[in-house]
Amino acid sequence: MPLFHPVTEGEITRAIVNSFLRQFEEYVSSDVIIVGGGPSGLMAGKELGKAGLKVIIIERNNYLGGGFWAGGFFMNKFTLREPAQEVLDELGVPYSRAGEGLYVADAPHACSKLIGAAGDSGVKFFNLILLEDLVIREDKRVAGAVINWSPIAYLPREIAALDPVPLETKVIIDATGHDASVARKLERRGMLKLAGEGALWIEESEEAVVEHTGEVYPGLIVTGMAVASVYGLPRMGPTFGGMLLSGKRAAEVALAVVLTDSR
């Protein structure tokens, strides 16, 4: 007797195509689109999913986690400062004390737990997706994302003339890190001015990034290192507490925006 139930290759392909297209159609409209699947974006998604919102994370790479996977200097450990270790307690990730108020943990373990928690909360992931533009309504409010397959960015223009498609949403969270890719779409139209990221200063940066996390334009929230790029704040280096707590803060702001729009 065979170990596995017999299926054909065609059945496998149909299962993948049908499932993906059903999900894609369902999420053409959502409550929140998070652009960027790094630590801030994943944390924001987890919190918003727990709150019952319809959330998607779009990521240009074929993996989630951003720099969270690798830790610092290709050594797969990362640090965080008190009180951010409470996030690891929530996720069930072990860590050790490295000094007064400083903790260290395994980056792949923490990252995989955060991805799992976001998925468990109901967040849907769309990998290899590139943000091409924004949907902006007549009331000057961000109302959607214009997306395309990210591999086309690496193809010659002559064979990559592929029209994108729009997704509707109530709010977008820019979790694209140092690039601040979503905010820069507005800057190119003269609708927002980015100060540019400052030099590394961990102690100053983490506090400032969390404090400045919020709505920078109607319908657009910035989180994580995108906050530093918008406001001219210092880089924070290979410590992730500020990223995680910024993601939590972004979720709080997004939830308030969605609830206000729903009234």
Side-chain angles (χ1 to χ4, degrees), residues 202-213:
I202 290 173
E203 192 165 351
E204 178 70 16
S205 178
E206 289 203 282
E207 300 282 351
V209 163
V210 175
E211 179 184 343
H212 286 79
T213 298

Side-chain angles (χ1 to χ4, degrees), residues 40 209-210 213 222-224 227 241-251:
S40 295
V209 163
V210 175
T213 298
V222 289
T223 187
V227 179
M243 308 281 268
L244 297 171
L245 296 187
S246 176
K248 275 184 175 279
R249 174 62 183 152

Side-chain angles (χ1 to χ4, degrees), residues 36-93:
S40 295
L42 289 167
M43 178 59 70
K46 177 181 81 72
E47 297 295 304
L48 291 167
K50 282 172 52 181
L53 270 58
K54 187 177 181 182
V55 182
I56 64 172
I57 293 178
I58 63 174
E59 168 58 51
R60 67 183 179 183
N61 293 305
N62 65 347
Y63 62 90
L64 298 165
F68 204 20
W69 271 117
F73 203 66
F74 286 118
M75 295 179 287
N76 60 359
K77 300 286 185 178
F78 75 99
T79 63
L80 36 68
R81 297 158 58 206
E82 194 171 328
Q85 83 279 4
E86 295 172 2
V87 174
L88 300 187
D89 291 330
E90 293 174 22
L91 296 172
V93 177

